[in-house]
Amino acid sequence: MEFSAPLKSNSTKIMLLGSGELGKEVAIEAQRLGLEVIAIDRYQNAPAHHVAHRAHVVDMQNKEAVLEIVRREKPDFILPEIEAISIDALFEAEKEGFHVIPNAEAVNKTMNRKNIRVFAAEELGLKTSPYVFVKSYEELVAAGEKVGYPCVIKPVMSSSGHGQSIARKPEDMQNSWEIAKEARGDASELIVEGFVDFDYEITMLTARNEKETVFCEPIGHEQRDGDYVFSWQPMQMSEVAKQKAQEIAKTITDGLGGRGIFGVELFIKGDEVYFSEVSPRPHDTGMVTLITQSQSEFALHLRAVLGLPLGFAFYGDGASAAYKAENESYAPVVDVNESIFDEKSFVRVFSKPESHKGRRMAVVLVFDTVQKALSKARELVTKIQDC
Ligand code: AMP
């Protein structure tokens, strides 16, 4: 593998579509290998903008705007970092010869809960919760009867828990309908899923390229309002469940194809493993790998993109805690207690230019046995404030 210098006629260029905290870490890894980094987001001074050679503000939902910047910059690899991107632009870019990671069809399938669910359950035969797709309130009520209560209602196009709710009885459906309507994305269609009474849920980070597929140790996580708050690695699993989890991860990532890392989300009950969803990019719960692995999920993503070997070592247990802003500010300050800067813990601050209540601003990382790391992460994150 030859590594050229950035900003030369022969440089290797990556374009990040979405420049949040995950993109920022990918950009830093790219800088370490001498790649030229072009970071795109819909607002100025997004996290990855600060560590890129060029930063552009583009409406990523606008097909022509995305294609214009792609044609202008001519990246070797286009790395979608978020879901809200014009899929038509990605298909067109691919047709014009650009390399979309992992590929435009995989992005298309995974950005829509209906597409990925039908693909996983009906084409690949993976075990999932029972589900029904609905477009009207009447269909929603009928779906509740079919999948049973409690059930989980989600817009087919949404992320981070937006528009999502649990209905425990038929009378809850009216409220679920209202919540879904307010969600961002195309809320016209909903998926109604039977509630899986899982023992725990994991992310199986899976990196692949044409030569190999590797799995990270399973990551356990805790969600609040559809958003991750704590994650730890490894999640203790039975050998049978771990094996099944890897098999499902291999099947779905082979099915989607292409190069890159995937966050495969799974529910585990006893030795049973249910496929939930998959993101074809680094996963927020995987930030814990910044402290547990010789190659973080971001480094592995880049290696997979470049077609490099995917070998890495698991250094040891760890945990992460997301810090979310309490305040609205146009000049946010993340106030970190110095005790966090310890031999076994540190913080990564995302450098977001504005804060609003609930916005993820930083992550605490702790290296220790899982139990100790998790309880320390829980404690340390309370020692951060913002203003
Ligand atoms: P999602 O946006 O689909 O990743 O859902 C966010 C979180 O809601 C998951 O990580 C689970 O904790 C929970 N959840 C989603 N779907 C189900 C389900 N069918 N059964 C139980 N919990 C669920």
Side-chain angles (χ1 to χ4, degrees):
M1 177 89 190
E2 295 176 336
F3 293 95
S4 49
L7 307 173
K8 297 286 183 181
S9 58
N10 62 352
S11 59
T12 302
K13 296 194 249 182
I14 66 159
M15 175 179 279
L16 296 165
L17 290 179
S19 297
E21 55 268 39
L22 306 182
K24 180 179 175 183
E25 293 295 338
V26 173
I28 291 169
E29 290 298 339
Q31 294 279 10
R32 288 183 168 138
L33 291 176
L35 307 188
E36 187 168 319
V37 180
I38 304 137
I40 313 289
D41 212 311
R42 58 178 182 276
Y43 65 95
Q44 226 178 5
N45 297 331
H49 280 174
H50 301 295
V51 287
H53 291 95
R54 281 184 300 293
H56 300 288
V57 175
V58 173
D59 173 2
M60 287 174 288
Q61 306 257 35
N62 183 315
K63 177 183 173 187
E64 293 310 320
V66 173
L67 284 173
E68 155 57 23
I69 198 70
V70 166
R71 289 171 185 147
R72 176 149 41 115
E73 290 285 6
K74 299 186 175 45
D76 295 283
F77 302 101
I78 298 172
L79 281 63
E81 196 235 0
I82 56 165
E83 280 183 2
I85 298 172
S86 161
I87 189 64
D88 292 341
L90 296 183
F91 277 122
E92 180 60 30
E94 210 169 65
K95 219 159 67 187
E96 291 180 16
F98 292 101
H99 190 151
V100 176
I101 298 299
N103 59 65
E105 181 51 29
V107 176
N108 181 41
K109 281 205 178 79
T110 53
M111 74 197 300
N112 182 309
R113 293 182 197 276
K114 183 174 187 175
N115 292 348
I116 190 63
R117 181 54 66 101
V118 169
F119 181 61
E122 296 172 30
E123 280 190 50
L124 301 177
L126 299 180
K127 191 182 181 87
T128 66
S129 58
Y131 59 91
V132 175
F133 301 104
V134 303
K135 284 185 172 161
S136 69
Y137 179 65
E138 290 68 33
E139 287 175 3
L140 177 64
V141 173
E145 293 309 313
K146 183 141 185 250
V147 304
Y149 290 93
C151 55
V152 187
I153 294 96
K154 313 170 188 175
V156 294
M157 297 280 274
S158 80
S159 57
S160 310
H162 289 269
Q164 193 164 317
S165 65
I166 296 178
R168 302 193 179 277
K169 49 188 185 317
E171 298 80 72
D172 295 342
M173 283 303 207
Q174 186 66 50
N175 191 35
S176 290
W177 180 250
E178 294 304 322
I179 292 173
K181 254 195 345 204
E182 281 166 26
R184 66 176 177 198
D186 176 9
S188 61
E189 193 160 19
L190 310 176
I191 180 171
V192 183
E193 291 182 27
F195 184 83
V196 180
D197 185 23
F198 54 76
D199 300 331
Y200 57 92
E201 59 183 317
I202 64 160
T203 305
M204 180 62 81
L205 290 175
T206 307
R208 82 186 298 282
N209 55 30
E210 290 82 0
K211 298 172 208 138
E212 58 183 322
T213 294
V214 297
F215 306 104
C216 297
E217 284 296 317
I219 295 170
H221 53 95
E222 208 177 294
Q223 301 271 324
R224 212 163 286 158
D225 304 322
D227 221 4
Y228 122 91
V229 277
F230 300 105
S231 72
W232 56 91
Q233 191 190 29
M235 174 79 215
Q236 281 306 323
M237 301 178 68
S238 72
E239 263 318 303
V240 177
K242 189 171 173 182
Q243 194 63 38
K244 278 189 192 167
Q246 291 187 349
E247 279 164 21
I248 292 175
K250 179 84 168 55
T251 304
I252 193 78
T253 54
D254 281 352
L256 293 170
R259 303 175 178 181
I261 201 161
F262 297 73
V264 183
E265 297 179 30
L266 304 166
F267 300 149
I268 289 94
K269 187 164 179 62
D271 283 339
E272 284 308 313
V273 183
Y274 297 79
F275 171 79
S276 174
E277 50 183 39
V278 55
S279 57
R281 60 183 79 90
H283 197 270
D284 52 7
T285 61
M287 283 192 281
V288 67
T289 61
L290 287 166
I291 201 164
T292 57
Q293 298 185 174
S294 63
Q295 297 291 299
S296 70
E297 63 166 343
F298 310 103
L300 280 177
H301 188 45
L302 211 64
R303 279 209 196 171
V305 168
L306 297 174
L308 291 170
L310 299 175
F312 69 99
F314 180 67
Y315 279 163
D317 304 13
S320 83
Y323 176 73
K324 295 181 181 193
E326 300 281 346
N327 300 291
E328 316 275 322
S329 174
Y330 285 100
V333 174
V334 178
D335 181 357
V336 180
N337 187 289
E338 286 186 11
S339 63
I340 294 180
F341 298 95
D342 196 4
E343 53 196 12
K344 287 185 171 183
S345 60
F346 56 84
V347 66
R348 293 264 158 103
V349 178
F350 304 146
S351 53
K352 291 185 180 171
E354 289 174 23
S355 68
H356 55 78
K357 205 170 159 43
R359 190 173 199 193
R360 196 157 59 203
M361 301 299 283
V363 67
V364 176
L365 295 156
V366 184
F367 187 73
D368 210 328
T369 55
V370 165
Q371 286 312 324
K372 282 191 195 160
L374 183 56
S375 62
K376 197 164 168 203
R378 285 185 201 278
E379 180 204 327
L380 291 180
V381 77
T382 66
K383 298 185 183 229
I384 305 182
Q385 297 172 8
D386 66 275
C387 57

